């Protein structure tokens, strides 16, 4: 195959696209499993306390009811790292909406009706569900998500801030947000003796299989997870969640296959959310804009069950060349569900704060916001001192400015008005780390000259199946139609989740290695395939471990134009343009879709999304899509995504960095900065809703 024949870097359509639009693919809840029954959870109506009694008499009397499970009769689970997965193992209640009982019936309607007939009484205790910066229980954990150090100090930051001739000291807040994927969390659980098959809506089939095996005390390989197609996840399906455990537990109890699909309302407390944050950013700078000090303090919440701390301030460690810095994470554990991953965890809320503060500094100095970022470009990673494998933030800023028409921009805020509409533009930088985890993959020949590649990847709607087929076809030197890539099965071997923007980089490395090994074997046989076929299996564990110590990150720049209605306070994003540097782009079509999807979530984050906590009852008040607002078609008026051609040989054989999450990073800050430019007043709390704009007096 010549270079011109290669398909990596092209734009083939999704392999499964026709099947999806014609409705022939199967999602987790749709697999035909004979003799299946249904389980419906009974959820706690208190935020903290203990179940005193469960009266299931009325429920059991209803037709079709097979069992009512609670902490007194449910099968036992093994202890593990997350108490949230130990369903029905204790009478203790740690948050409102926790599963305290469950009904199994022969119809879905019957299970739901019977669950409403279960009467639970509680010994209720006083609860605390509000992230209060003055709470004395706040502490600084040693480690945060992704295994990063919680607090990092460089230089004398307090002294540098005190000496700086210019600076910013501001607090920014982001609310709790929910991933709300289109396909709800759903599972079919089927026991056959001591083996378990789970048809699961899952971003990480192999990890889920190993986690559920540990919970039930099963040997490796006893659990098989099938997740051929997944209707979105955005992090919420990246780890094992309570609905999957509920299905397996109920199926074990009644010795029948069990189906469960969460309603939209049930998902809000049971399948994770993004933590709210309170962030203080302090910047010190010389008059020429060069930073002398950077302080980023991020407060967030977790549950009493599990310590989860998002790496909110981590992005500030690599962005700018400040000789003195302090980045600290603080945590308050409350009587709430455990937050977890949501698209670009840490970087999305953290960069909103940092990039808003950089915009404030630019105005304080009378400096162009693009140029301020450029003059603070570091030569090496400011935190580690390591060289970057590649870093093209400046190229993204300059390319984005040219495409957006930034030159000649009037920097004066609050002066462009057309009737009721004020107009403003803003910019923000984006970053996301390169995560690559070990993976396995298998490649084999098929009769007739075809090839099959198997890897326990998950295609959550991103086009992973297509991208991996492109990689395999190039390595095998054959057209794409001669390669079948199978994903979504834990039996294919160890593989990381579709999360952390690591999927294509990790799975693609294993696929590349397996296909190269198979090609070498074929070459050794002069292309002659034995009657039994040939197979090559790859494991990239040693390859990943042998990677050089470098700082590996993707970067980008986002430019926004907004209008603000002077009467209503409504903000509209008229244009959002992003330019990204993310290594090699495998599929131009699906990459653009990924970037635009992330940017759309950035619009949603900036203007709409907010989970509202009820202090009295302890739950999220707006726990459905009628009251939890997200961006719709009318909000997405003009999106453009572009990228810099980046050749980075220090990543993996494919040269990819990952693109799934960087699109949301920086988008909210660019929009907020544009709102300031339009109105002349700064809004530091997300989302920027019309009532906030009006109440704060931010419309002249």
């Amino acid at each position: 195959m010549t270079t011109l024949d290669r398909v990596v870097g092209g734009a083939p359509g999704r392999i499964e696209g026709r099947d999806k639009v014609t409705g022939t693919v199967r999602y987790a809840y749709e697999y035909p499993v004979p003799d299946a029954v249904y389980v419906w959870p009974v959820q706690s109506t208190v935020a903290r306390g203990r179940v005193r009694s469960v009266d299931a008499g009325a429920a059991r009397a209803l037709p079709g009811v097979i069992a009512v499970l609670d902490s007194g009769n449910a099968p036992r689970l093994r202890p593990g790292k997350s108490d949230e997965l130990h369903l029905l193992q204790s009478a203790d209640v740690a948050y409102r909406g926790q599963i305290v009982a469950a009904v199994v019936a022969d119809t879905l309607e019957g299970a739901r009706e019977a669950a409403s007939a279960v009467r639970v009484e509680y010994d209720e205790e006083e609860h605390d569900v509000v992230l209060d910066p003055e709470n004395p229980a706040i502490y600084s954990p040693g480690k945060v998500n992704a295994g990063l150090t919680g607090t990092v100090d460089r230089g004398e930051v307090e002294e540098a801030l005190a000496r700086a001739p210019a600076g910013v000291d501001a607090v920014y807040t982001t609310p709790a947000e929910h991933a709300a994927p289109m396909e709800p969390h759903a599972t079919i659980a089927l026991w056959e003796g001591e083996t378990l098959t789970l048809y699961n809506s899952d971003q990480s089939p192999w990890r889920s299989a190993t986690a559920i095996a540990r919970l039930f005390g099963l040997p490796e390989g006893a659990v098989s997870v099938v997740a051929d197609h997944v209707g979105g996840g955005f992090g919420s399906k990246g780890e094992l969640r309570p609905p999957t455990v509920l299905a397996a537990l109920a199926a074990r109890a009644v010795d029948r296959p069990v189906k469960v699909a969460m309603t939209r309302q049930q998902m809000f407390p049971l399948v994770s959310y993004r933590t709210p944050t309170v962030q203080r950013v302090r910047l010190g700078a010389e008059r020429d804009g060069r930073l002398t000090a950077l302080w980023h303090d991020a407060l967030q919440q977790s549950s009493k069950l599990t310590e989860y701390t998002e790496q909110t301030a981590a992005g500030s460690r690599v962005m700018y060349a400040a000789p003195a810095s302090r980045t600290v994470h603080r945590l308050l554990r409350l009587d709430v569900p455990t937050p977890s991953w949501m698209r670009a965890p840490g970087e999305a809320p953290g960069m909103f704060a940092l990039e808003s503060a950089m915009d404030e500094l630019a105005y304080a100095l009378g400096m162009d916001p693009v140029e301020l970022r450029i003059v603070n470009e570091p030569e090496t990673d400011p935190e580690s001192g390591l060289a970057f494998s590649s870093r093209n933030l400046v190229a993204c800023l300059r390319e984005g400015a040219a495409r957006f028409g930034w030159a000649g921009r009037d920097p004066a805020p609050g002066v462009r008005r057309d009737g009721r509409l004020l107009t403003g533009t803003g910019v923000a930088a984006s970053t996301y780390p390169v995560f690559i985890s070990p993976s396995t993959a298998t490649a084999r020949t098929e009769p007739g000259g075809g090839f099959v590649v198997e890897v326990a990847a998950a295609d959550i709607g991103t086009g992973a199946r297509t991208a991996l087929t492109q990689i395999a076809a190039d390595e095998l030197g054959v057209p794409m139609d001669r390669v079948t890539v199978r994903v979504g099965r834990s039996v294919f071997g160890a593989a990381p989740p579709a999360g952390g923007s690591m999927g294509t980089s990790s799975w693609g490395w294993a696929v590349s290695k397996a296909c190269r090994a198979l090609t070498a074997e074929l070459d050794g046989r002069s292309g002659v395939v034995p009657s039994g076929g040939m197979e090559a299996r790859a494991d990239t564990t040693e390859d990943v471990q042998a990677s050089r110590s470098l700082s590996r990150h993707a970067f980008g720049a986002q430019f926004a134009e907004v209008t603000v209605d002077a009467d209503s306070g409504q903000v509209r994003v008229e244009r959002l343009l992003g330019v990204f540097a993310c290594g090699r782009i495998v599929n131009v079509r699906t990459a653009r879709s990924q970037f635009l999807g992330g940017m759309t979530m950035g619009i949603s984050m900036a203007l709409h999304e907010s989970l509202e906590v009820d202090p009295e009852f302890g739950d999220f008040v707006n726990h459905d899509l009628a009251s939890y607002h997200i961006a719709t078609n009318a909000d997405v008026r003009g999106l453009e995504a572009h990228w810099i051609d980046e050749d980075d040989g220090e990543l993996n054989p494919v040269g990819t960095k990952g693109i799934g999450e960087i699109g949301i990073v920086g988008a909210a800050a660019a929009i907020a900065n544009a709102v300031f430019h339009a109105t002349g007043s700064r809004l530091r709390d997300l989302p920027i809703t019309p009532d906030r704009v009006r109440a704060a007096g931010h419309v002249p």
Side-chain angles (χ1 to χ4, degrees):
M1 179 180 288
T2 67
T3 301
L4 292 176
D5 295 327
R6 294 187 176 275
V7 290
V8 168
R14 296 177 191 232
I15 289 170
E16 79 286 6
R18 182 179 179 84
D19 292 336
K20 280 186 173 178
V21 299
T22 56
T24 58
V25 303
R26 284 199 179 112
Y27 292 87
Y29 200 70
E30 300 173 329
Y31 282 84
V33 177
D35 202 30
V37 295
Y38 302 83
V39 62
W40 195 275
V42 177
Q43 295 175 267
S44 166
T45 58
V46 304
R48 181 180 178 185
R50 187 171 176 82
V51 174
R52 184 192 312 139
S53 65
V54 177
D55 182 355
R60 289 195 177 95
L62 292 171
V65 173
I66 299 168
V68 179
L69 305 177
D70 59 37
S71 63
N73 64 1
R76 297 296 93 184
L77 300 173
R78 298 288 182 88
K81 69 174 186 176
S82 175
D83 290 337
E84 198 152 11
L85 298 178
H86 293 158
L87 299 190
L88 307 180
Q89 303 299 293
S90 166
D92 293 335
V93 176
Y95 60 91
R96 187 181 176 98
Q98 179 181 327
I99 297 173
V100 294
V103 174
V104 184
D106 58 10
T107 67
L108 176 64
E109 296 80 6
R112 184 171 191 168
E113 180 185 5
S116 68
V118 175
R119 297 291 174 260
V120 183
E121 294 189 359
Y122 303 91
D123 293 320
E124 188 172 359
E125 300 174 16
E126 186 177 349
H127 63 259
D128 186 1
V129 297
V130 177
L131 183 61
D132 179 2
E134 303 303 320
N135 193 310
I138 293 170
Y139 68 100
S140 296
K143 292 290 183 180
V144 300
N145 188 40
L148 301 179
T149 302
T151 300
V152 174
D153 287 297
R154 289 188 300 106
E156 300 297 331
V157 67
E158 286 278 21
E159 293 181 12
L161 286 168
R163 291 195 307 266
V168 169
D169 186 347
V171 174
Y172 307 87
T173 70
T174 61
E177 300 164 348
H178 202 274
M182 183 179 293
E183 180 200 17
H185 290 62
T187 307
I188 302 174
L190 171 63
W191 287 90
E192 295 175 293
E194 289 301 301
T195 63
L196 172 64
T197 299
L198 296 169
Y199 300 92
N200 202 41
S201 186
D202 202 319
Q203 291 179 233
S204 185
W206 182 80
R207 286 179 51 162
S208 291
T210 58
I212 206 89
R214 285 195 299 267
L215 270 178
F216 283 88
L218 301 173
E220 184 179 348
V223 178
S224 175
V225 171
V226 177
D228 289 334
H229 298 278
V230 182
F234 310 113
S236 70
K237 300 173 184 176
E239 288 192 314
L240 192 64
R241 304 295 184 198
T244 305
V245 180
L246 176 63
L249 204 65
R252 186 74 149 178
V254 302
D255 197 25
R256 295 269 297 275
V258 166
K259 301 180 74 171
V260 64
M262 294 287 97
T263 66
R264 189 63 59 182
Q265 291 85 355
Q266 290 168 342
M267 287 171 60
F268 275 75
L270 289 176
V271 299
S272 84
Y273 59 96
R274 193 198 298 281
T275 177
T277 71
V278 180
Q279 302 176 60
R280 183 184 180 191
V281 179
R282 301 169 67 189
L283 302 176
E286 301 290 354
R287 291 295 179 191
D288 64 359
R290 297 182 188 278
L291 290 171
T292 57
L294 185 158
W295 182 313
H296 191 167
D297 179 295
L299 170 65
Q300 51 217 298
Q301 72 184 37
S302 192
S303 70
K304 297 282 181 66
L305 292 172
T306 304
E307 182 186 88
Y308 170 82
T309 313
E310 196 142 291
Q311 68 277 29
T312 308
S316 293
R317 297 172 181 173
V318 302
M319 284 305 295
Y320 301 117
S325 72
R326 176 175 173 80
T327 48
V328 58
H329 298 85
R330 296 183 299 132
L331 190 66
L332 179 60
R333 298 180 68 173
L334 299 167
D335 303 307
V336 296
T338 307
S340 188
W341 308 332
M342 182 174 158
R343 198 169 202 166
E347 276 75 13
M351 290 293 286
F352 163 69
L354 176 65
E355 290 301 291
S356 295
M358 287 292 286
D359 198 65
E360 295 202 44
L361 180 62
Y363 280 97
L365 292 166
M367 192 170 181
D368 183 87
V370 171
E371 291 305 313
L372 175 65
R373 289 165 173 83
I374 291 174
V375 300
N376 284 291
E377 175 72 0
E379 293 184 3
T380 59
D381 185 318
E383 178 189 7
S384 66
L386 293 172
F388 289 101
S389 64
S390 58
R391 179 181 169 113
N392 282 298
L393 173 57
V394 171
C396 291
L397 286 164
R398 288 183 169 147
E399 176 80 7
R403 288 181 176 273
F404 189 77
W406 187 265
R409 169 186 184 259
D410 178 0
V415 298
R416 288 151 303 280
R417 183 165 184 159
D418 182 6
R420 289 165 35 197
L421 297 182
L422 298 151
T423 302
T425 53
V427 63
S430 303
T431 187
Y432 199 77
V434 175
F435 292 120
I436 300 177
S437 292
S439 182
T440 61
T442 301
R444 65 173 179 269
T445 58
E446 288 284 282
F451 298 87
V452 171
V453 175
E454 294 174 336
V455 57
D459 194 329
I460 59 175
T462 57
R465 186 182 270 102
T466 305
L468 293 174
T469 302
Q470 291 175 257
I471 292 168
D474 277 3
E475 295 293 7
L476 293 166
V478 299
M480 283 180 65
D481 59 9
R482 287 181 59 188
V483 180
T484 299
V485 171
R486 295 175 180 164
V487 301
R489 307 274 175 130
S490 62
V491 296
F492 293 159
S501 295
M502 72 175 75
T504 300
S505 297
S506 303
W507 310 321
W509 193 338
V511 166
S512 170
K513 186 176 181 180
C515 290
R516 288 183 183 186
L518 182 61
T519 300
E521 289 189 38
L522 284 169
D523 289 345
R525 292 175 171 269
S526 300
V528 177
V529 180
S531 57
M534 295 175 59
E535 180 177 289
R537 184 165 179 79
D539 184 337
T540 63
T541 300
E542 293 184 359
D543 305 274
V544 173
Q545 292 173 347
S547 297
R548 287 206 306 152
S549 293
L550 294 168
S551 183
R552 298 175 174 86
H553 298 265
F555 293 94
Q558 303 218 31
F559 294 78
E561 178 184 348
V562 305
T563 57
V564 181
D565 190 301
D567 293 340
S568 69
Q570 183 181 42
V571 178
R572 283 192 179 275
V573 179
E574 302 296 337
R575 287 194 297 156
L576 186 61
L577 181 148
V579 178
F580 305 97
C582 299
R584 190 180 187 191
I585 300 299
V586 174
N587 187 306
V588 170
R589 185 182 304 188
T590 57
R592 179 169 282 107
S593 176
Q594 282 277 74
F595 289 134
L596 295 181
M599 293 164 70
T600 299
M601 290 187 77
I603 294 173
S604 207
M605 176 183 179
L607 303 183
H608 301 287
E609 294 190 48
S610 178
L611 283 171
E612 303 294 338
V613 177
D614 184 337
E616 181 177 355
F617 294 102
D619 62 352
F620 298 127
V621 177
N622 52 337
H623 49 246
D624 55 38
L625 293 184
S627 51
Y628 179 79
H629 294 164
I630 60 174
T632 61
N633 289 352
D635 300 300
V636 184
R637 300 163 74 83
L639 291 186
E640 290 185 48
H642 307 275
W643 50 85
I644 303 293
D645 291 329
E646 193 172 56
D647 184 8
D648 189 333
E650 295 287 355
L651 301 169
N652 51 70
V654 187
T656 53
K657 285 186 173 181
I659 59 176
E661 285 157 295
I662 195 170
I664 191 176
V665 180
I671 293 166
N673 294 339
V675 170
F676 170 78
H677 188 232
T679 65
S681 298
R682 183 74 60 175
L683 279 166
R684 301 185 179 96
D685 305 307
L686 294 185
I688 303 172
T689 54
D691 57 331
R692 278 185 167 164
V693 174
R694 292 195 310 270
H698 287 334
V699 177

